[in-house]
Amino acid sequence: NENEIKIYEYTETDDNGEEIKIYTHFRPRDKIMCIKNYYNVDTVNGGQEDIFNGWVGTFKGLTQCYVCANSEENTKIRATLNFLEENEDFIKDNYDRILGPYETGVFSFPFIEEDIIISKEEIPNYFSLGYASTVHKMQGSEYPCVIGTMDSYLPPFMGTKELLYTVADHVKTGAFSTFPPSTCIISCAP
């Protein structure tokens, strides 16, 4: 698929000693999670936004992007072809060079109005697929529904009622938890 990003993750060795490369694929409409803060990210309309660790958004696809640079003022913006065409006079008046095109990913987040664009090379540094999350990553966010799991491998000091409260506190409509009874007894003890 031409609108998909394939990112190399790591190499495994199979039972026959053959190396197998493992990839993550970002496909349009995939849920993604920001894995570290990213300040002054370019938007599709030439602006900038900040995105933060733990935010969940959507990968919208790939697009061609251009960098408009002003050599004298040492400024630049990254913008899509649509923005350049719609703002041709502004670009001519403020920038002396247009570089590109470069392939970029387009992402949307419910916390910001404009879609953001990030170079294909930078995507693995800031995003992962966002279909699952740790309790730690979900702090500061709210979800329509959460399925929480705890198992007997969870260290006793982590299986606390505070952890269960954190899961339940970030849900709008409903939560479902699965865990063995022994974990529940330990977690909910006073």
Side-chain angles (χ1 to χ4, degrees):
N1 183 346
E2 67 185 41
N3 221 358
E4 174 181 303
I5 298 175
K6 182 177 175 182
I7 299 169
Y8 171 73
E9 292 287 337
Y10 58 92
T11 302
E12 284 187 356
T13 305
D14 68 11
D15 295 338
N16 300 322
E18 299 284 326
E19 287 190 350
I20 302 169
K21 291 186 176 184
I22 306 299
Y23 294 89
T24 295
H25 295 261
F26 286 71
R27 295 177 177 91
R29 296 184 302 282
D30 266 344
K31 278 190 177 289
I32 51 92
M33 179 176 280
C34 183
I35 55 175
K36 65 181 175 182
N37 293 347
Y38 194 170
Y39 302 101
N40 302 317
V41 181
D42 296 310
T43 67
V44 293
N45 292 319
Q48 292 190 322
E49 291 282 353
D50 298 334
I51 56 175
F52 298 99
N53 186 10
W55 278 14
V56 176
T58 304
F59 172 64
K60 295 182 82 173
L62 295 172
T63 191
Q64 297 295 312
C65 175
Y66 297 83
V67 175
C68 305
N70 182 322
S71 303
E72 286 182 22
E73 296 178 22
N74 197 25
T75 59
K76 64 181 180 178
I77 62 167
R78 195 179 328 194
T80 61
L81 183 58
N82 279 353
F83 179 79
L84 295 179
E85 290 171 349
E86 292 171 4
N87 298 280
E88 190 175 339
D89 291 336
F90 170 78
I91 298 298
K92 285 181 182 176
D93 292 344
N94 292 286
Y95 299 96
D96 55 14
R97 291 182 298 151
I98 298 177
L99 310 170
Y102 302 101
E103 199 165 40
T104 57
V106 180
F107 299 87
S108 67
F109 290 91
F111 305 108
I112 54 179
E113 291 181 24
E114 292 187 55
D115 293 343
I116 61 166
I117 48 178
I118 297 177
S119 72
K120 192 174 174 180
E121 295 75 27
E122 290 179 295
I123 290 171
N125 299 327
Y126 292 97
F127 297 109
S128 68
L129 289 174
Y131 292 104
S133 173
T134 63
V135 173
H136 175 76
K137 279 278 188 191
M138 71 183 284
Q139 290 183 3
S141 299
E142 189 174 70
Y143 300 92
C145 182
V146 172
I147 299 172
T149 62
M150 295 172 69
D151 60 28
S152 57
Y153 297 106
L154 187 70
F157 68 89
M158 290 188 71
T160 65
K161 59 186 171 197
E162 289 81 10
L163 184 69
L164 292 174
Y165 173 78
T166 302
V167 171
D169 191 47
H170 292 74
V171 181
K172 289 181 184 177
T173 56
F176 177 74
S177 295
T178 61
F179 42 81
S182 61
T183 306
C184 181
I185 292 167
I186 293 168
S187 298
C188 296

